[in-house]
Structures are given as C-alpha cells and as structure tokens.
Amino acid sequence: MVNWTQMHDCYGDVDRVPALLERVELDDDVEAWKELGYRLVLEHDLVFPAGFAALPRLMRLASRSARARGLAGTILRCAAGHHGCDDLLANCADEISGFRELLDRHLRSRPVDYLPAFLDSLAAMEEYHWSAVLGDFTDDFYHLACPHCAVEVTIAIGDYGRYSAIRDWNLGDVDRRDLRPASYEALAGTGRWMYETAVRDGRQTLADGIAHLFGKAECPRCASVFDIAAEYTSANRPVLR
C-alpha cells in the first residue's frame, strides 16, 4: 500500500493525485488527466514521488486508456534520474513487466503513435539512454568520442545520409565516412530486439536506422573503426542503483 502522505507531486501536494486517480478510474475525465500530467511529470523530464506511486494504477488502466498508457510511459522514461524512488519502482516490477507486454501488443497493431510506444518499451526494459535519444531516423545525430584518438565524432543517420564526420562550426559536417550497418546475424540483445520489432511491424526506415546505429563507424581523424552503439552506450547509459 502507498502512503500518500509522503508522496508529494510537483506542486508539493500529497492529497491531490489520489483524488485525480480515482476520477480517471471511474471515468475518462479529460481535465483530470491533464492535471495528472502536470502534477506527475514536470516538463516531460522530472518525475516526483507521486508519479512513481501512481505507476501501478496507471499501468492497470493502460489496457483501456491511451492516456494512462502514455502517462505511464512518460514516467518510465524518466526513471533513470536521481529521484530517490527506487523502492517504489522495485515494488511495481510485475506491473512493468505486464506493461511491456501491453506495449508489444500495441506495437503489433501498427498505431499512429508507434515511435512513442517503441520508446516506452525501451524504458520498460531499462534502456533509458535509447528511449531518450532514439528518433525516427529522418534527422538523427549522435555525438561521441572516438575510443582511439578521443576526437568528437558526429554520427548522422537520416534522409541526408548515414555517415561519421567531424563537425565544424562554419563548414558543417566535414570529412564524411560512410557507416557500416550491422547484419542481422551480428545483432544481439537490445539491438536485435529493436531491429526485429521494427521489421515485424513494417517499420523499414526504423529498422534500417537501427542497423546503422548498431553498426560500425570510421573515425575521420585517425581512421580507426569502432562499434557505434557500444561506444554511445558506454558514454550515456545511466548508472542504475
């Protein structure tokens, strides 16, 4: 049971969120959902204890409410931060597992909100760094240091090209080198799940972008070849307590 007297929201209140949850559980109250969003997540970035305390109830509602599904996903995407609510997250592990299954069924339906649901699935898998930065690969950039010479390399994956480059303030991306996409056989773990799911659901642009993201890049400065996803993950994966 949640002790709501200790679960403040972003306004510092401890009694408003339980009342709002009761309202949306009884009826799909648009105004109540709007207020819940304001109170549980600040500017889609910072989650408060009341947000994590509300997660189990939101996830139970998610099967019949798109608003509940979206709000639960937004909260999960912020779970890597220093929020001091690890016990609340641990206590809803079963609900998160069920939420992942619900999201997978939703993805199979090829919905209009496919990418947000895909990112929510990654957050439910604790792949917070990918859920925070993955785009639709029309205009995606990833910045990382070459593991051999430490120069900052820009990785571009989009309609304009798929390459590594050195970014110049005046000239833009210079000394471009084509990326080397990973084959299906070379993919493993999260990369394979991402690729297989995108292919299964007919998202070819997303699948192709993932193959390049989990492929290899050549450093324009020293010409060494490195694994893009491994280097990006090493530099950006949150430390989970």
Side-chain angles (χ1 to χ4, degrees), residues 166-234:
I166 302 297
R167 178 152 292 181
D168 182 272
W169 181 263
N170 297 309
L171 301 177
D173 293 342
V174 299
D175 199 5
R176 299 184 182 188
R177 311 289 176 93
D178 289 341
L179 300 181
R180 308 174 190 182
S183 65
Y184 172 74
E185 293 75 19
L187 291 169
T190 301
R192 174 167 284 201
W193 177 88
M194 292 166 69
Y195 182 83
E196 287 182 338
T197 302
V199 169
R200 179 197 72 189
D201 299 333
R203 298 282 169 160
Q204 192 53 51
T205 299
L206 181 61
D208 183 69
I210 290 166
H212 281 81
L213 182 60
F214 281 79
K216 296 185 182 298
E218 181 181 344
C219 174
R221 175 69 57 81
C222 70
S224 62
V225 176
F226 56 88
D227 186 293
I228 301 166
E231 293 303 321
Y232 190 85
T233 298
S234 176

Side-chain angles (χ1 to χ4, degrees), residues 12-167:
D13 296 331
V14 297
D15 55 354
R16 186 59 179 158
V17 168
L20 290 168
L21 286 171
E22 289 179 7
R23 281 173 59 183
V24 297
E25 286 170 343
L26 292 172
D27 183 39
D28 193 27
D29 189 319
V30 175
E31 291 304 315
W33 278 118
K34 186 180 298 185
E35 186 178 347
L36 265 177
Y38 291 145
R39 287 182 173 275
L40 298 185
V41 186
L42 181 62
E43 297 180 352
H44 299 281
D45 186 51
L46 184 61
V47 181
F48 293 79
F52 294 109
L55 259 181
R57 292 170 71 171
L58 291 173
M59 289 175 175
R60 287 194 289 271
L61 278 175
S63 62
R64 58 184 174 89
S65 169
R67 291 186 178 91
R69 186 182 66 243
L71 184 52
T74 298
I75 293 169
L76 269 186
R77 288 199 221 175
C78 303
H82 295 286
H83 43 68
C85 298
D86 299 300
D87 56 334
L88 292 174
L89 271 175
N91 288 338
C92 63
D94 290 342
E95 285 86 354
I96 292 174
S97 178
F99 187 57
R100 280 183 58 188
E101 295 176 5
L102 182 148
L103 288 171
D104 189 65
R105 293 193 297 272
H106 185 61
L107 291 173
R108 288 174 184 270
S109 72
R110 304 187 180 187
V112 294
D113 64 338
Y114 187 90
L115 185 60
F118 192 88
L119 301 179
D120 292 345
S121 295
L122 287 168
M125 297 164 65
E126 296 189 351
E127 296 289 350
Y128 301 114
H129 57 305
W130 293 129
S131 72
V133 302
L134 195 71
D136 60 3
F137 295 113
T138 59
D139 192 30
D140 282 21
F141 292 93
Y142 302 88
H143 305 283
L144 49 83
C146 170
H148 301 280
C149 71
V151 68
E152 183 174 286
V153 179
T154 293
I155 304 296
I157 309 175
D159 295 340
Y160 38 81
R162 296 163 173 80
Y163 58 82
S164 58
I166 302 297
R167 178 152 292 181

